[in-house]
Amino acid sequence: MKKMGTPISHFTPLHLLYFLLLSSSPILALNFSSLLSSFPDLSDFAALLSSSALLSDLNHRTSLTLLAVPNSYLAASSDLTHRIPPSSLADLLRYHVLLQYLSPSDLRHISPSGKLVTTLFQTTGRATSDFGSVNITRNPLDGVVSVHSPVPFSSSNATVLTLLQNLPYNVSIFAVNALLVPYGFDLMASETRPPLGLNITRALIDGHNFNVAASMLSASGVVEEFEADEGGAGITLFVPTDVAFSDLPGTVKLQSLPADKKAVVLKFHVLHSYYPLGSLESIVNPVQPTLATEDMGAGRFTLNISRVNGSVGINTGIVQASVTQTVFDQNPVAIFGVSEVLLPREIFGNNPMMTAKPRNEIVGNAQPPEGMAMSPESNGPQLHLSSPPGYGEEIRSVAAINGGVNFFFTLCSCCIAVALYVIQ
């Protein structure tokens, strides 16, 4: 027994943790090239993503939905994909990347009026108005799910065919029957034109739901400071919607604050680093200093950021808000819409604040109300997906492989843990 115990005695719980981290990383890492290679009928679409250098960007993001076009359907747009500049093609493909994880259950619960979802193209600032978003609708009669421009009369639309891949809360890939073109998209535009410093106020006005915040930023003069901070580590802004301002309790006299305190409240909504949505969802240190912290002292005016019910939650100590949509996301600037005005307790006291009235609507990328989402096995509205031949078998085989890999690593972990326990 001593001979057997001697070489194993150096295998400490720390080694076990290290082993588990190494063994689990291939499962957690996102590699869209690998995910798409499991489906031969997506080879042309995968090649376009690779040639546009988008794959590297997607691999560093989480919480997204990819709308992939099979070869047979992509062939109808081959003339378009071959004649437009590479920069325009990249933006066209960005329009197929939805910055929100959508499961089959989410699609089953989309109302006939639709759900507006921000795409990666919208965050570049090159989309006209909100035409870089997509409207997803579901026909209540036959369950068919369609994706199209927010413009009612747009000719570009696609039907969701089938679910190809689903990594819960991180990534889903659906096949669609057409290449989507944003309304008003300039096919010959180039993203290589000289970059201009982002006009934050203009970006908020173009977002439509942020007029109050845009007005306050402009009047206070702090927006110039924000724009000056776009260099270096960048900035992340949490901007309350117009509804959030209208829902403030009557006891909160935000507009009556002295100019210096009002500026502090606005700076309380800004992090002095660039965080895309995926980084916020997986942030290591939940307590984050703000621009107000830099002015008022360490440890004060901080935000607690964490994942809550599938969304990014922001807690000020007296207000609990959530990220509802992506307004702009292009390094070094990220702008997110939030459901509440972020009130610092250093100014408004320690008592939790409640909004003046309940809010039932879903804005932008907001998650459905708790309890609304249903598992695929549960009864409820049906989702009709017209799957091309062979797709079902491919999905099952990929799921079986993923399930087998997960089971293997789980079994190994359990065996090692038991062995350590027996040795001790």
Side-chain angles (χ1 to χ4, degrees), residues 88-103:
S88 296
L89 177 60
D91 277 347
L92 199 64
L93 294 172
R94 288 185 179 100
Y95 194 55
H96 293 72
V97 180
L98 314 186
L99 298 182
Q100 180 180 356
Y101 166 75
L102 295 173
S103 68

Side-chain angles (χ1 to χ4, degrees), residues 1-9:
M1 291 297 292
K2 291 183 179 179
K3 292 182 179 180
M4 293 181 63
T6 301
I8 303 178
S9 61

